[in-house]
Amino acid sequence: MLSRKKLAVVVIATSALLGSSAPAFADTLDGSGATFAQPLIDACKVDFSKDTGHTINYTGGGSGTGRTNFSNNKGDFAGSDTAYTSAEPAGIVYAPIYAAPIAVMYNLPTVKDAIYLSPSTIAQIFSGYITNWDDKLIAADNERTVKTPIFKTVKKTVKDKNGKNVTKTVPALDKKGKPIISSYSEKVVNIDLPKLPITVWYRTDSSGTSGNFTAFLQGANAGANERVWPKASNNTFSNATPNNISTFFNFQGGSGSAAVAAGVAGKEGAIGYGELSFATDNKLSVAFVQNAAGEFTKPDAAGTSAFLGGGTINANGTVTVDYKKAITGAYSLGTTSYALAYSSDKDATKQKLVADWFTYVLDKCPGKYPEKGFAQITGPLYDKAKSQIAKIK
């Protein structure tokens, strides 16, 4: 039997051992910005807290809000789908730690098969030229032979929120970190679209999602006639449209991707754009989009990785893409989003925690939650993300 003195020593030693896995302190990071990243952040911040003891608060609000808050020193980090175009803060670090597809989501309950859309057709829907689902241009996209890549997948075991092992399906990657196309599906489609007015839902707030979506509409249709999409991209959707959509009765606006997805879900015949996760959460169908190689690809992590792999990585960590470049397997509405931090002149403890959080998201989160649609960043872009995070001192 242990004496009282020996028992006390055992208890103290055991307590010290148990406490050694916990951080010396528990801190909180506050961030805001892109709703693009929010589905992954909301899922993964719980795991980060469980693994490290620290708390992540992220309020979203849109890329514009995130950049404004970051410039005004509100919060410890921010999220933005696009870089600053002016008044960029000194010492900013862009860390490309998120990548996912922007989905073209729609509400057509009588159409059981997924629809196919070319960049020209998408542009003319979102500029107000095409106003009905039985339009001949939509019909032409859905009465043709379509070629679709099929990506190889592998099973990956990860721990769920309760610490139990679960098996999830993720894209298989080659040695260079590129998704592997195992085969192609080629079939003749003949989809009947209903005689139904189109209601277009769009973002009213300053949004990187809108910026990237309108960049696709302009870039993928470059060289087309003025009717398609002649104006440059803009984070405010209505500022990029060829027509004054405020005069169009069939356009409806919402602040944030959640509001757009809910609007589409609430109106038969509606269409909108936003992160894939919001479409999935609202049980909305998503379109296959034609890429510059002539293939029709669905919004998923593999197609996003293929598309971004053909982009140019800039010195500041941002990525420039070419919508006219023929990339096999590419989902041309795939995009990178950035976590924003400062390189120095901030609290050292918080800065280290910001770097740890960015690294955690980059390395662990997409693979743990493939259902959110985010791509695991690999290859040269991964190396760039790591070197950007290393600048956070």
Side-chain angles (χ1 to χ4, degrees):
M1 182 178 294
L2 290 172
S3 67
R4 288 179 180 272
K5 185 175 181 180
K6 288 183 178 179
L7 182 61
V9 170
V10 170
V11 170
I12 292 171
T14 303
S15 299
L17 180 62
L18 291 174
S20 64
S21 61
F25 66 95
D27 211 335
T28 299
L29 291 181
D30 295 315
S32 63
T35 57
F36 179 93
Q38 191 144 21
L40 188 64
I41 290 175
D42 285 348
C44 216
K45 68 183 183 182
V46 177
D47 297 324
F48 182 75
S49 180
K50 185 177 293 185
D51 290 347
T52 68
H54 303 299
T55 301
I56 304 296
N57 293 325
Y58 188 80
T59 56
S63 294
T65 296
R67 290 192 301 273
T68 298
N69 287 345
F70 188 71
S71 296
N72 293 330
N73 288 308
K74 294 180 180 178
D76 305 297
F77 72 100
S80 181
D81 303 335
T82 53
Y84 282 85
T85 56
S86 62
E88 182 177 280
I92 188 175
V93 174
Y94 293 98
I97 63 173
Y98 319 104
I102 298 172
V104 178
M105 58 187 85
Y106 60 92
N107 183 348
L108 292 174
T110 63
V111 178
K112 302 306 179 184
D113 296 319
I115 66 171
Y116 299 83
L117 295 174
S118 65
S120 174
T121 300
I122 296 171
Q124 291 179 78
I125 290 172
F126 281 89
S127 62
Y129 285 118
I130 295 176
T131 58
N132 285 278
W133 281 105
D134 62 347
D135 188 279
K136 63 181 182 181
L137 294 177
I138 301 178
D141 282 347
N142 291 277
E143 296 173 1
R144 62 160 77 194
T145 299
V146 297
K147 183 180 179 181
T148 302
I150 299 173
F151 290 96
K152 183 179 179 180
T153 59
V154 294
K155 300 293 185 181
K156 180 177 181 179
T157 301
V158 297
K159 291 188 181 296
D160 65 13
K161 293 180 180 180
N162 298 316
K164 295 182 178 179
N165 288 335
V166 294
T167 301
K168 298 192 176 184
T169 301
V170 298
L173 305 175
D174 64 18
K175 293 181 179 179
K176 294 183 179 180
K178 296 181 179 181
I180 301 169
I181 298 175
S182 59
S183 62
Y184 279 91
S185 167
E186 193 167 309
K187 63 179 181 179
V188 177
V189 296
N190 189 3
I191 300 172
D192 290 326
L193 281 303
K195 186 176 180 63
L196 185 69
I198 296 173
T199 299
V200 177
W201 274 86
Y202 65 95
R203 291 277 293 268
T204 56
D205 54 321
S206 177
S207 156
T209 301
S210 293
N212 285 307
F213 183 60
T214 56
F216 161 79
L217 295 177
Q218 195 280 325
N221 292 296
N225 62 55
E226 286 294 302
R227 171 186 167 99
V228 181
W229 202 279
K231 297 181 72 173
S233 65
N234 196 294
N235 288 342
T236 302
F237 179 81
S238 59
N239 290 344
T241 54
N243 296 312
N244 180 8
I245 60 174
S246 66
T247 64
F248 288 15
F249 72 92
N250 64 317
F251 275 68
Q252 299 288 327
S255 181
S257 291
V260 168
V264 175
K267 177 68 175 179
E268 186 174 349
I271 191 170
Y273 61 92
E275 298 76 23
L276 176 62
S277 184
F278 291 103
T280 303
D281 290 346
N282 284 273
K283 297 180 172 58
L284 292 169
S285 299
V286 295
F288 281 66
V289 176
Q290 188 180 35
N291 63 25
E295 306 161 349
F296 283 86
T297 54
K298 63 182 179 180
D300 62 12
T304 296
S305 292
F307 178 62
L308 295 177
T312 300
I313 303 171
N314 303 313
N316 68 349
T318 61
V319 179
T320 301
V321 296
D322 182 356
Y323 298 105
K324 287 289 191 178
K325 185 177 181 179
I327 305 169
T328 57
Y331 180 74
S332 301
L333 267 167
T335 184
T336 304
S337 187
Y338 311 101
L340 309 183
Y342 285 104
S343 58
S344 59
D345 297 327
K346 298 293 176 183
D347 177 82
T349 301
K350 282 288 185 78
Q351 287 287 88
K352 182 182 184 305
L353 185 53
V354 168
D356 289 347
W357 164 238
F358 288 5
T359 301
Y360 192 92
V361 173
L362 176 69
D363 287 341
K364 296 187 177 183
C365 297
K368 293 189 74 169
Y369 299 97
E371 66 275 11
K372 299 297 180 182
F374 285 77
Q376 187 74 54
I377 292 175
T378 58
L381 186 57
Y382 175 84
D383 295 338
K384 186 63 177 180
K386 292 288 283 188
S387 68
Q388 290 296 103
I389 293 171
K391 295 177 182 178
I392 304 170
K393 303 296 184 182

